[in-house]
Amino acid sequence: RMLADLSLYNEFRSWKDDPTMDRSCPFLDKIYQEDIFPCLTFSKSELASAVLEAVENNTLSIEPVGLQPIRFVKASAVECGGPKKCALTGQSKSCKHRIKLGDSSNYYYISPFCRYRITSVCNFFTYIRYIQQGLVKQQDVDQMFWEVMQLRKEMSLAKLGYFKEEL
């Protein structure tokens, strides 16, 4: 395969020699700017920042809605959205999933569009964490790079609004 971006490839190679989750390293900085920030930018920016932090800390959970009884709770629940209102965009959408950040007891209802954006970023983080922890043993550096590129492609598709309904 042709190398699309030689500078990113070289940044990846040097990152892989000493993997860090520090977003200021050249390899991750570029992906944050081009993929992660745009993917996790939502109109409810405070909640969007909290989502990014939870993704980085690996403390975000997503679960299907409908497995739990609907409880009518305090007024702050409005900010959490609901089965028909996305907490990240404020739009009236059918929300089949909800997220929880860290040990907060709040759940936030999210649309399929937001869910795909979040999961595509989570998938990227999961893979680079595996590399950092030395768990990716079956692939050479080129294969790892192409996997990173595939995960970037997923983030780009999610950012543009392409998503699989049943993800």
Side-chain angles (χ1 to χ4, degrees):
R1 282 193 257 194
M2 289 274 297
L3 274 179
D5 185 341
L6 198 55
S7 67
L8 184 69
Y9 178 75
N10 290 328
E11 286 165 1
F12 173 73
R13 285 191 74 112
S14 57
W15 174 83
K16 195 197 155 299
D17 291 340
D18 185 17
T20 173
M21 297 306 283
D22 177 2
R23 65 162 78 163
S24 66
C25 78
F27 165 66
L28 287 181
D29 179 58
K30 181 173 185 134
I31 294 175
Y32 265 92
Q33 299 306 325
E34 294 180 4
D35 304 312
I36 296 169
F37 290 142
C39 225
L40 294 184
T41 297
F42 300 102
S43 53
K44 306 291 183 187
S45 55
E46 224 169 281
L47 180 56
S49 299
V51 166
L52 174 59
E53 193 179 321
V55 170
E56 289 175 322
N57 296 330
N58 207 12
T59 57
L60 179 138
S61 57
I62 301 182
E63 64 178 44
V65 172
L67 304 176
Q68 44 307 103
I70 293 180
R71 292 182 298 277
F72 292 94
V73 284
K74 55 197 178 304
S76 72
V78 173
E79 293 146 38
C80 298
K84 300 211 177 303
K85 184 170 186 184
C86 178
L88 280 164
T89 62
Q91 294 173 344
S92 297
K93 296 274 185 222
S94 175
C95 298
K96 297 185 170 78
H97 290 84
R98 61 186 198 169
I99 56 173
K100 195 172 160 204
L101 311 176
D103 359 339
S104 158
S105 57
N106 286 343
Y107 284 95
Y108 300 93
Y109 288 81
I110 56 168
S111 64
F113 170 63
C114 293
R115 177 179 179 231
Y116 189 31
R117 287 170 71 164
I118 294 168
T119 53
S120 69
V121 175
C122 287
N123 292 341
F124 170 77
F125 273 103
T126 298
Y127 186 68
I128 62 167
R129 270 191 209 103
Y130 284 167
I131 294 174
Q132 188 204 22
Q133 294 162 5
L135 300 174
V136 182
K137 301 194 188 318
Q138 306 306 317
Q139 297 176 314
D140 65 26
V141 70
D142 287 5
Q143 291 170 312
M144 288 181 200
F145 178 75
W146 284 111
E147 182 62 27
V148 164
M149 294 303 282
Q150 184 59 40
L151 292 163
R152 290 189 73 194
K153 179 181 168 187
E154 290 289 316
M155 287 189 279
S156 294
L157 290 172
K159 186 173 61 188
L160 293 170
Y162 294 96
F163 61 90
K164 305 173 189 84
E165 189 60 55
E166 292 304 318
L167 208 68

